[in-house]
Amino acid sequence: MPALEEMSAFFNGRAPQYDRVHTGHIGGGIESKRVIASFLPARTKTLVDLGIGTGLELEAILQRFPGIEITGFDIAENMLRLLGEKYPSQKIRLLCENYLEYDLGDGLYDAALSVMTLHHYTHDVKTALYRKIRRCVRPGGVYIECDYMLSENDCEDAQKQEDMHFAEYERLKNEQGITDNREYHYDTPCTVTNQIKMLCAAGFTGVRKIWQTGNTVILIARK
Ligand SMILES: C[S@@+](CC[C@H](N)C(=O)[O-])C[C@H]1O[C@@H](n2cnc3c(N)ncnc32)[C@H](O)[C@@H]1O
């Protein structure tokens, strides 16, 4: 196993090939990004996107909601630079920040979105983030998460697989002498059931799966 890479270094280094490589290996490919726009409420005027990367999910969103105001967070500046080149004239505020540490505010957005960014984090880290996300959307607003998840419909041992990913990540960190609290790039997908539990624990209601192709699952949650 190659050395674990710190999260921003991983994505900064892969930014030039990211769009092609990423859409080539995820379930649903580019369709998994395009379909997200159709799940946003018709009245959406403000959106926060956590781990926005190069903005693959934005093309369909900007088409359906011309004039939408988007705030995007990402820790990899090279990903954000490519996004800026793709959509130079749109109302997109980009923040090169760690969304786990940043205060996302209170009631600022009609909708919050995260796409393929949270499958690197533990239950505790995600549940704390979901609380912040719930706080930053307006009452009646929605949170949509599109991510790599383990579906119990497809594999009986989804929980076992989740446990195995987390255990392997810990083993690698120990083996490589990593003791700091920085984020490293290693996939630790969670089961759909656990995802739904975490969102409910953070106070969201009406949490449900709305789309799935392969391991790419979209969940919606309401404030
Ligand atoms: C697989 S990419 C997804 C990009 C885009 N949302 C998409 O679906 O194509 C994951 C992105 O999340 C960002 N990311 C991961 N952890 C982050 C954190 N804690 N704070 C901000 N950005 C983060 C990475 O830098 C990377 O650009």
Side-chain angles (χ1 to χ4, degrees):
M1 171 77 195
L4 291 170
E5 283 177 75
E6 184 275 326
M7 194 72 78
S8 62
F10 180 92
F11 283 102
N12 275 328
R14 284 154 185 83
Q17 306 83 35
Y18 172 80
D19 285 6
R20 182 179 47 81
V21 174
H22 175 72
T23 53
H25 86 249
I26 54 165
I30 192 67
E31 181 56 18
S32 71
K33 311 293 177 191
R34 293 196 178 124
V35 74
I36 293 164
S38 66
F39 298 123
L40 287 166
R43 61 178 187 283
T44 306
K45 292 193 173 63
T46 50
L47 172 77
V48 62
D49 185 334
L50 305 174
I52 195 167
T54 61
L56 283 173
E57 58 268 30
L58 298 190
E59 197 177 324
I61 292 174
L62 291 165
Q63 248 167 33
R64 183 172 172 214
F65 301 95
I68 187 171
E69 283 175 31
I70 298 173
T71 300
F73 287 86
D74 206 285
I75 38 166
E77 58 187 349
N78 293 353
M79 299 286 274
L80 293 179
R81 191 170 313 118
L82 291 174
L83 188 160
E85 287 167 12
K86 274 191 213 168
Y87 310 107
S89 58
Q90 301 290 342
K91 291 185 205 160
I92 307 176
R93 188 169 74 108
L94 295 176
L95 294 151
C96 191
E97 298 281 356
N98 183 341
Y99 52 62
L100 300 176
E101 292 167 2
Y102 202 88
D103 181 355
L104 301 176
D106 199 337
L108 297 179
Y109 307 101
D110 297 322
L113 176 63
S114 77
V115 186
M116 282 292 165
T117 185
L118 293 184
H119 58 273
H120 305 116
Y121 297 116
T122 61
H123 287 206
D124 285 352
V125 167
K126 286 205 257 198
T127 306
L129 178 65
Y130 292 152
R131 289 201 179 94
K132 284 205 308 187
I133 293 175
R134 185 177 174 279
R135 192 174 141 245
C136 85
V137 299
R138 295 188 214 295
V142 299
Y143 168 56
I144 292 176
E145 178 165 331
C146 172
D147 218 318
Y148 170 20
M149 295 178 206
L150 303 168
S151 169
E152 288 87 348
N153 295 344
D154 304 325
C155 50
E156 279 172 19
D157 66 343
Q159 183 63 58
K160 218 164 134 188
Q161 284 191 38
E162 180 190 308
D163 296 343
M164 204 191 62
H165 286 292
F166 279 111
E168 180 62 3
Y169 180 41
E170 284 311 308
R171 192 191 67 75
L172 287 168
K173 281 205 290 191
N174 285 335
E175 186 179 272
Q176 298 179 19
I178 294 171
T179 51
D180 61 37
N181 285 329
R182 294 187 304 165
E183 279 78 42
Y184 287 82
H185 182 267
Y186 188 79
D187 288 355
T188 48
C190 296
T191 68
V192 173
T193 302
N194 288 338
Q195 282 292 145
I196 291 174
K197 276 188 196 157
M198 287 181 253
L199 288 161
C200 292
F204 282 107
T205 55
V207 184
R208 63 192 173 94
K209 180 170 89 174
I210 46 177
W211 189 90
Q212 177 178 4
T213 296
N215 280 332
T216 303
V217 175
I218 302 182
L219 301 178
I220 191 161
R222 297 184 188 281
K223 177 166 176 177

